[in-house]
Amino acid sequence: MISRSAFQRSCVVLGLLGLSAFLFYIGKGHTLLLDTNAVTLDGKELRSAETVEVSIDGKEPESMGRAERVMVTVAGPRHRVSIEVVSGGDKKVEGRLSIPTFMDTAVVSIPAILGEAPSRSWVTPFVPPPSEEAPAEKMQQQEETPGAPAPAPAKAPAAPNP
Amino acid sequence: MNSKLRLFFIENAVVILFILLIAVAIPVSGLPRQFLMQEILMRLGRNSFLVIALLLPIMAGMGLNFGMVLGAMAGQIGLIFIMDWGIVGIPGVLLAMIISLPISIFLGWLCGSIMNMAKGREMVTGFILAFFMNGLYMMIVLYAMGTLIPIMNPEMLLSRGYGIRNVVGLDGVRQCIDNLIPLKIGGLKIPVFSYLIIAAVSCFIVWFRKTKIGQDMRAVGQDRAVADAAGIPVERTRIMAIVISTVLAGIGQVIFLQNLGTINTTASHEQIGMFSIAALLIGGASVTRASIPNVLIGVTLFHLLFLVSPMAGKNLIGSAMLGEYFRQFVSYGVIAMALVLYEWKRMTQEHEARAELRGGAAPAKGAKGGAA
């Protein structure tokens, strides 16, 4: 038989764990890359307007041209995006973004939102381009390994700790 | 009347001395009044919580809790984790406080248990314990984080791949408590929410004193032997006082650092104990008696001296460093003075009690003789 005080303590601990999980969920920060590059969805190319103004959660709108990326930081999983076409029409689109909790950096496709594509294609994870070693470093590696048939393979970027 | 005035001056010697010092130093420093007021408003919100954390151990007769540094370490560990996980804003601050809770409770229990083995020498025990735990904290932060404890954000790690960098920016949570309820009066920014938190914890302390456990703490603080004879679990009560103090110190350190906006991983916690204790003593508290007004007066006076002494030193002697050395001399000196005064008072009281006993025997004899 569990004692009353042990039950109360367990409830407090569980409550704190639940609160921690909730705080983690609503407080997780994300970096959003607002992207106006053209995208191809189901074989159809969607392009952004010449100039658009993008606002996240009613904050100061960012003015963006074509093929641009603007970085904004937000907290929490759900956000309201508002896009106003400044040039070539008077279109205004509003939508709701849902960012997965463990996606630190996400690319938000403005053409996909403007083109009224399905909402699952609005947000994609950001994949950093593979780091290229500077030519000088490659030459140095070759010098350090005389007689080696080929330059040493490019060093992989340091993976974050698990 | 004259003896009352004398007693008032003796009781409030430190406060009066500091008010006089500041009254001289403010005009000499030449700092604008607006700047001083803004800084004091900000520092009251930043530091008061930490100083309030010292009240319960004093009530329980354990003196000034130098072991509060342990709670500050727990608060910092909480902040390091939320920065690593990328939790921002108020949820981040709350999560850091929750993470600090179990660590603070464990460290407080450890500190209280050790202090129970060193009754009567709690202050020096807490002081040395803080040094010991600092070594353990360094091992966790500089070695275990990034190896045994996963750290996802490589920017927080030292270039060798493990250990947290010396300075971690708290951009995601910077001043989020202070700016939660924005209020400006006469050009002065007032951290309303920080004040509400301080008011809440002050109310908690006042309420706690009236509870059963609060009364037990007071009884233990007044006389351990009598409390023990009355059936109060003395050791458990003392541990509880230290645990609550350490938990409050952990939360206080989170509030303190969110205001600063940066953690000095290896040093932010080190001087917290000394500064908080100095502020409390400057506010008129003693080793055995402290209250909320002592906290507020002490933080105001101590930080005013903090602000004006470098400039006053520069204007008087031509070197800001001398002013800063003077401030350090005063802040550490006041702790020494308070401890000496306490010991002197205690010895005087013991001496008077002995004299009274001896003197009490004589009239008894006389009385006896008279009766005969």
Side-chain angles (χ1 to χ4, degrees):
Chain A
M1 184 72 184
I2 189 165
S3 73
R4 196 177 157 195
S5 66
F7 175 74
Q8 284 171 342
R9 281 173 197 174
S10 307
C11 285
V12 169
V13 170
L14 285 175
L16 282 176
L17 284 175
L19 181 62
S20 301
F22 175 69
L23 291 171
F24 187 98
Y25 180 69
I26 62 161
K28 175 74 179 160
H30 304 277
T31 303
L32 299 185
L33 298 172
L34 307 175
D35 186 15
T36 52
N37 280 297
V39 286
T40 307
L41 293 170
D42 302 327
K44 190 179 160 192
E45 191 185 55
L46 300 170
R47 297 169 74 85
S48 174
E50 197 66 48
T51 315
V52 289
E53 282 195 340
V54 185
S55 163
I56 302 282
D57 296 329
K59 285 181 191 158
E60 190 71 23
E62 297 276 356
S63 185
M64 296 177 73
R66 270 201 184 129
E68 258 188 50
R69 264 185 184 176
V70 170
M71 194 172 82
V72 289
T73 50
V74 292
R78 288 185 222 293
H79 304 281
R80 210 177 65 246
V81 59
S82 168
I83 306 167
E84 193 172 355
V85 177
V86 176
S87 62
D90 197 18
K91 195 177 177 186
K92 191 171 180 180
V93 177
E94 286 200 0
R96 286 198 172 271
L97 298 175
S98 186
I99 318 287
T101 303
F102 291 99
M103 193 186 282
D104 284 333
T105 309
V107 180
V108 178
S109 175
I110 302 300
I113 302 170
L114 273 178
E116 287 166 17
S119 57
R120 65 186 145 75
S121 58
W122 293 1
V123 177
T124 48
F126 170 69
V127 183
S131 64
E132 286 178 21
E133 269 184 305
E137 281 176 32
K138 278 187 181 173
M139 281 168 65
Q140 199 182 357
Q141 276 186 350
Q142 275 180 316
E143 280 168 14
E144 280 170 1
T145 53
K155 201 176 153 192
N161 282 297
Chain B
M1 184 66 195
N2 211 9
S3 66
K4 268 188 182 175
L5 202 67
R6 191 171 158 262
L7 193 71
F8 174 80
F9 276 107
I10 290 172
E11 290 286 320
N12 299 290
V14 179
V15 184
I16 293 164
L17 182 75
F18 266 79
I19 288 173
L20 289 175
L21 259 175
I22 288 163
V24 173
I26 286 177
V28 174
S29 73
L31 288 168
R33 202 169 37 173
Q34 181 93 355
F35 167 78
L36 288 177
M37 282 169 75
Q38 179 62 75
E39 280 295 314
I40 286 302
L41 285 172
M42 196 53 89
R43 283 163 189 249
L44 264 173
R46 183 200 294 168
N47 293 279
S48 299
F49 200 104
L50 277 166
V51 185
I52 288 172
L54 291 166
L55 296 183
L56 288 183
I58 292 175
M59 198 166 91
M62 301 174 85
L64 300 155
N65 180 19
F66 283 92
M68 73 179 291
V69 174
L70 276 61
M73 289 174 197
Q76 281 177 204
I77 289 173
L79 280 171
I80 289 171
F81 277 123
I82 61 131
M83 289 319 292
D84 177 39
W85 298 337
I87 316 297
V88 298
I90 293 291
V93 170
L94 288 175
L95 190 56
M97 288 173 182
I98 292 175
I99 294 168
S100 80
L101 281 181
I103 308 169
S104 296
I105 290 171
F106 171 70
L107 292 176
W109 168 79
L110 190 77
C111 186
S113 304
I114 292 170
M115 282 179 181
N116 275 341
M117 294 175 201
K119 288 190 192 94
R121 293 180 296 279
E122 288 91 351
M123 279 190 277
V124 72
T125 308
F127 195 65
I128 297 302
L129 194 64
F131 276 120
F132 167 71
M133 289 310 293
N134 191 37
L136 208 62
Y137 167 84
M138 292 289 187
M139 200 178 81
I140 292 167
V141 169
L142 294 180
Y143 178 76
M145 286 192 171
T147 51
L148 299 170
I149 302 166
I151 296 292
M152 261 80 87
N153 184 356
E155 284 177 17
M156 285 176 66
L157 294 175
L158 291 164
S159 56
R160 66 186 182 197
Y162 61 88
I164 302 295
R165 280 182 191 277
N166 195 26
V167 176
V168 175
L170 300 173
D171 300 330
V173 294
R174 191 169 191 270
Q175 296 195 345
C176 64
I177 291 181
D178 303 322
N179 298 334
L180 194 64
I181 303 175
L183 179 69
K184 265 196 165 189
I185 298 173
L188 296 172
K189 196 177 135 195
I190 297 164
V192 178
F193 199 71
S194 301
Y195 289 170
L196 288 177
I197 294 174
I198 291 160
V201 78
S202 302
C203 290
F204 166 75
I205 296 284
V206 171
W207 166 79
F208 188 81
R209 277 179 179 160
K210 293 173 186 164
T211 60
K212 163 81 173 68
I213 184 83
Q215 296 288 345
D216 287 357
M217 272 182 201
R218 285 168 77 166
V220 169
Q222 276 161 15
D223 197 315
R224 279 199 302 271
V226 172
D228 194 32
I232 295 169
V234 173
E235 299 210 336
R236 190 169 159 271
T237 308
R238 283 161 56 92
I239 290 176
M240 208 168 275
I242 290 291
V243 167
I244 296 171
S245 171
T246 314
V247 165
L248 290 179
I251 295 170
Q253 183 74 352
V254 174
I255 295 171
F256 175 79
L257 289 174
Q258 65 79 37
N259 178 278
L260 287 183
T262 179
I263 306 180
N264 189 337
T265 318
T266 54
S268 280
H269 56 285
E270 279 181 354
Q271 287 188 316
I272 279 302
M274 199 66 86
F275 284 174
S276 302
I277 287 166
L280 189 63
L281 292 173
I282 288 167
S286 74
V287 178
T288 50
R289 183 183 49 85
S291 63
I292 307 280
N294 294 144
V295 172
L296 301 176
I297 294 168
V299 171
T300 308
L301 292 179
F302 183 65
H303 285 278
L304 259 176
L305 195 70
F306 224 109
L307 286 165
V308 297
S309 59
M311 282 308 287
K314 193 184 169 204
N315 292 344
L316 270 177
I317 316 160
S319 165
M321 280 312 291
L322 276 177
E324 176 59 15
Y325 289 143
F326 173 71
R327 188 198 55 73
Q328 282 190 12
F329 163 75
V330 168
S331 56
Y332 297 130
V334 77
I335 297 177
M337 196 171 97
L339 296 179
V340 169
L341 273 175
Y342 167 70
E343 201 54 32
W344 172 70
K345 265 187 196 170
R346 196 181 62 82
M347 283 167 73
T348 312
Q349 277 169 0
E350 273 178 13
H351 183 74
E352 279 173 2
R354 270 200 301 270
E356 210 170 279
L357 272 175
R358 282 194 210 105
K365 251 185 205 173
K368 211 179 177 181

